[in-house]
Amino acid sequence: MLYKILYMFQSDINWFNVFRYITFRSVLSTLTALSISFLFGRFVIRTLKELRARQYVREEGPARHKAKEGTPTMGGCLIIPAVVVSVLLWADPTNIYVWLVVAVALLFGAIGFTDDYLKISRKKNQGLSGKTKLAMQITVAALVAIVLYLYPGFDSRLNLPFFKGVAPDLGWGYALMVVFIIVGTSNAVNLTDGLDGLAISPIIVAFGTYLIFSYLSGHIKIASYLQIPYVAGSGELAVFCGAVVGAGLGFLWYNAYPAEVFMGDVGSLSLGAILGTVAIITKQEIMLVLVGGLFVFEALSVIFQVGYFKITGGQRIFKMAPIHHHFELKGWPEPKVIVRFWIISIILALMAFSTLKLR
Ligand code: 57M
């Protein structure tokens, strides 16, 4: 919004022309969200404590986690508003993709908020039933898929990295893939959020990566040179990604080990869904497997653990899933698990960038 107002005066104040540039507004969006989450962090933590929004730790978890009982949760109530306010200030309000991703952030945030609220009101780690939560996620993701499928500026071809000019049109199958990506990424981030700062830092890395991908895919000349799909208007999502990076950095200030606050499902479900939606709109869906590789790895560890447990009648592949608990139970101190997983997420992001010219 501010962007449109300030740009109106660029004929009177010439340097206001700079507000036209996505790069400049992405930096402002990052700094605005960082300022909001950092400055309001202490107030939100205090309010969550007063509202008894405290974490109930599952019995069967690693013993060390019992000490975390009572930590304020629902820190997503700090992250999401910081993101939305920054996006409304600095993104182009006429861009449909911006509003679609804002809607995803708020609707998945509402699902997570409901889950967190039920856990807190029941005073145990049992919120929405798995089926109810999944049904709500699929419903929202299906609405996104329908909007994108029907939007004339968006096509249903699947962009395959490494294969020049190969982009099969999946038709309605693309809509199903959209639902799978959004719901899958949302739940993968949710599963990953099990140690202090373990989810938010790879989120910052992933959105920093998609900030650049958004800018590239929305720039017709650069997209053509790199031979990646040009998606008119997707460049504005760089402003959105910048807001998530900024809000995430401000939240990490308080979520860093030992955490003063957890993001809750209100944060993890929303951030995961946003990441999946941005990957789809920029037509870098397959790249998400690499950029969000840590989230994929965590989710797969649960799938394989549960599957093997059922097939073998009780045996386990890992000491405990998701995989971060396995290393905890191997004796790695929590900060060591966290930082090593951060390193992996940075390596994966660098690998994703390296594919940009490998065609
Ligand atoms: C999401 N939530 C954390 C916090 C955070 C099917 C099964 C794999 C499901 C899975 C599960 O319940 N996942 C829920 C993970 C929880 O964090 C809260 O949840 C929000 C994110 N959704 O914001 O509010 C706990 O994680 C710890 N935590 C931190 N620092 C943070 O910054 O230390 C979170 C954020 C918090 C806190 O202790 O209480 C979670 O782990 O529940 N279940 C599991 O992940 C459990 N695994 C398991 O049961 N494995 C089995 C089978 C089912 C695969 C096995 O391996 O045999 C583990 N999680 C817990 N206890 N808490 C192990 C048991």
Side-chain angles (χ1 to χ4, degrees):
M1 226 68 86
L2 203 53
Y3 147 58
K4 281 292 186 190
I5 296 167
L6 293 174
Y7 189 60
M8 277 163 44
F9 295 102
Q10 60 92 17
S11 52
D12 307 317
I13 309 169
N14 192 32
W15 70 268
F16 270 21
N17 184 50
V18 72
F19 289 107
R20 186 161 61 93
Y21 295 106
I22 286 176
T23 45
F24 185 71
R25 288 187 285 117
S26 296
V27 170
L28 286 180
S29 177
T30 302
L31 296 176
T32 303
L34 173 56
S35 306
I36 294 171
S37 60
F38 179 71
L39 296 174
F40 283 87
R42 189 62 64 202
F43 166 75
V44 168
I45 291 171
R46 192 169 54 246
T47 306
L48 290 172
K49 280 180 179 174
E50 287 164 4
L51 295 173
R52 315 291 300 158
R54 294 172 179 273
Q55 184 66 51
Y56 293 91
V57 175
R58 302 156 65 108
E59 288 309 317
E60 67 280 11
R64 275 182 299 187
H65 281 239
K66 219 44 198 153
K68 297 168 180 274
E69 183 98 359
T71 304
T73 185
M74 297 180 78
C77 296
L78 170 68
I79 302 169
I80 304 308
V83 169
V84 173
V85 167
S86 301
V87 166
L88 294 180
L89 277 177
W90 299 114
D92 179 352
T94 65
N95 184 293
I96 181 174
Y97 296 133
V98 168
W99 288 113
L100 189 61
V101 184
V102 165
V104 168
L106 295 176
L107 290 171
F108 270 81
I111 295 170
F113 182 92
T114 306
D115 192 38
D116 289 332
Y117 179 78
L118 289 174
K119 288 173 189 169
I120 289 156
S121 57
R122 292 169 179 169
K123 294 186 170 36
K124 57 183 177 181
N125 203 330
Q126 276 178 2
L128 291 167
S129 72
K131 285 180 182 170
T132 306
K133 190 154 71 167
L134 188 60
M136 294 167 87
Q137 291 174 315
I138 289 172
T139 303
V140 175
L143 290 173
V144 173
I146 291 166
V147 167
L148 284 177
Y149 190 77
L150 298 176
Y151 181 58
F154 195 79
D155 72 47
S156 54
R157 285 176 297 170
L158 177 63
N159 167 47
L160 296 175
F162 309 112
F163 298 96
K164 190 165 69 173
V166 177
D169 190 328
L170 304 182
W172 272 107
Y174 190 81
L176 295 176
M177 191 191 75
V178 165
V179 172
F180 175 76
I181 289 173
I182 293 175
V183 174
T185 313
S186 179
N187 286 303
V189 173
N190 182 44
L191 286 170
T192 305
D193 192 30
L195 296 179
D196 297 354
L198 183 65
I200 196 63
S201 295
I203 280 287
I204 291 166
V205 171
F207 275 95
T209 305
Y210 272 99
L211 186 159
I212 294 167
F213 278 140
S214 300
Y215 179 77
L216 298 177
S217 66
H219 195 297
I220 192 162
K221 289 182 181 171
I222 300 179
S224 168
Y225 167 72
L226 293 172
Q227 297 182 52
I228 57 175
Y230 167 64
V231 182
S234 63
E236 278 299 319
L237 291 182
V239 178
F240 201 110
C241 293
V244 177
V245 170
L249 287 170
F251 175 73
L252 179 60
W253 185 271
Y254 302 101
N255 183 240
Y257 180 86
E260 301 170 66
V261 64
F262 300 149
M263 68 170 74
D265 283 37
V266 59
S268 59
L269 293 183
S270 180
L271 290 171
I274 297 168
L275 181 60
T277 308
V278 169
I280 289 158
I281 295 172
T282 55
K283 303 212 77 61
Q284 296 295 334
E285 314 90 341
I286 307 294
M287 199 59 73
L288 184 58
V289 174
L290 200 50
V291 177
L294 184 72
F295 303 125
V296 173
F297 191 46
E298 290 260 354
L300 287 177
S301 71
V302 171
I303 292 166
F304 286 129
Q305 178 88 326
V306 173
Y308 189 74
F309 188 87
K310 286 178 177 170
I311 292 170
T312 61
Q315 292 181 40
R316 287 180 163 84
I317 304 171
F318 309 104
K319 291 179 181 295
M320 185 174 282
I323 190 84
H324 55 262
H325 289 312
H326 173 78
F327 292 108
E328 268 198 303
L329 296 181
K330 279 188 72 169
W332 292 17
E334 182 172 348
K336 194 173 278 290
V337 178
I338 297 161
V339 173
R340 286 178 173 176
F341 276 40
W342 289 356
I343 293 168
I344 291 168
S345 66
I346 293 167
I347 291 168
L348 289 168
L350 293 174
M351 287 166 66
F353 282 125
S354 69
T355 67
L356 277 177
K357 213 41 209 131
L358 301 178
R359 285 180 183 276

